[in-house]
Amino acid sequence: MKNKSYLKLTSIVYRSFHQIQRVISKDVSSYGLNDAEFGALEVLYHKGKLPIIKVGHLMLMGNSSMNYVVSKLKEKNFILESVDPKDRRNKWIELSLEGREFFERIFEHHQNTLHEIYQILDENEIDELMKILKKLGYHAQSIERTSS
């Protein structure tokens, strides 16, 4: 593949991601949340109680950004925070009853938005796209590690 194709592929990936992200962000903001708040609620809904640092890692967020998200979600009474009794430096978070009920109310609508985005693809295309993007992502990660 020539360099020109690499540039075109990169442009297509960025533009596609940008458009998908815009649709998802608009959907998320309709619930009164930003993308990071929604992401944290989604992680906790699917994974349960976790250390704050683990939630941040799953969301690709730094500690200070994650602490800000936790603060905002606590203000909305959507999460509960507790200290790890074995190591008081570690804080754990989980959905409050109010947070769980809220997320359950909005999640079906969010799934419908994702369906609108991806319905153009058949199951084989979805599987192949996930496989290719994972392969590309892991390869890029290995390049980053060796060039550091």
Side-chain angles (χ1 to χ4, degrees):
M1 190 182 274
K2 297 181 178 181
N3 286 341
K4 187 175 181 181
S5 297
Y6 292 148
L7 293 172
K8 186 172 184 172
L9 175 60
T10 300
S11 177
I12 290 169
V13 168
Y14 271 110
R15 288 176 186 273
S16 296
F17 174 77
H18 178 72
Q19 290 305 316
I20 291 167
Q21 194 268 336
R22 284 177 55 140
V23 172
I24 291 171
S25 289
K26 184 177 179 184
D27 176 58
V28 166
S29 69
S30 74
Y31 315 129
L33 301 170
N34 64 38
D35 291 354
E37 291 168 339
F38 182 87
L41 292 176
E42 186 174 24
V43 166
L44 294 171
Y45 182 77
H46 292 291
K47 303 267 187 195
K49 186 176 183 177
L50 290 170
I52 291 175
I53 197 163
K54 176 73 173 173
V55 176
H57 175 74
L58 291 169
M59 294 177 53
L60 307 175
M61 291 183 73
N63 290 345
S64 61
S65 297
M66 193 62 222
N67 286 331
Y68 178 77
V69 170
V70 167
S71 172
K72 290 298 184 186
L73 291 173
K74 280 172 55 178
E75 286 176 13
K76 295 176 182 184
N77 296 316
F78 288 163
I79 63 169
L80 302 171
E81 187 177 40
S82 59
V83 176
D84 184 343
K86 295 178 184 171
D87 184 350
R88 299 192 58 75
R89 295 172 295 174
N90 294 328
K91 292 183 180 178
W92 289 63
I93 53 174
E94 62 185 311
L95 290 178
S96 65
L97 179 59
E98 187 175 342
R100 177 166 296 284
E101 289 172 350
F102 172 78
F103 194 78
E104 287 172 350
R105 279 194 313 272
I106 66 171
F107 192 60
E108 184 177 347
H109 185 270
H110 181 69
Q111 285 182 307
N112 290 338
T113 299
L114 296 179
H115 175 75
E116 283 184 59
I117 294 168
Y118 298 115
Q119 70 181 341
I120 194 169
L121 304 174
D122 65 35
E123 286 299 316
N124 291 334
E125 290 172 319
I126 290 171
D127 291 342
E128 189 66 18
L129 182 58
M130 288 191 301
K131 184 177 162 184
I132 290 168
L133 290 173
K134 280 183 176 182
K135 181 178 181 179
L136 190 58
Y138 287 132
H139 178 66
Q141 188 179 40
S142 74
I143 292 169
E144 182 182 41
R145 284 187 185 139
T146 58
S147 66
S148 302

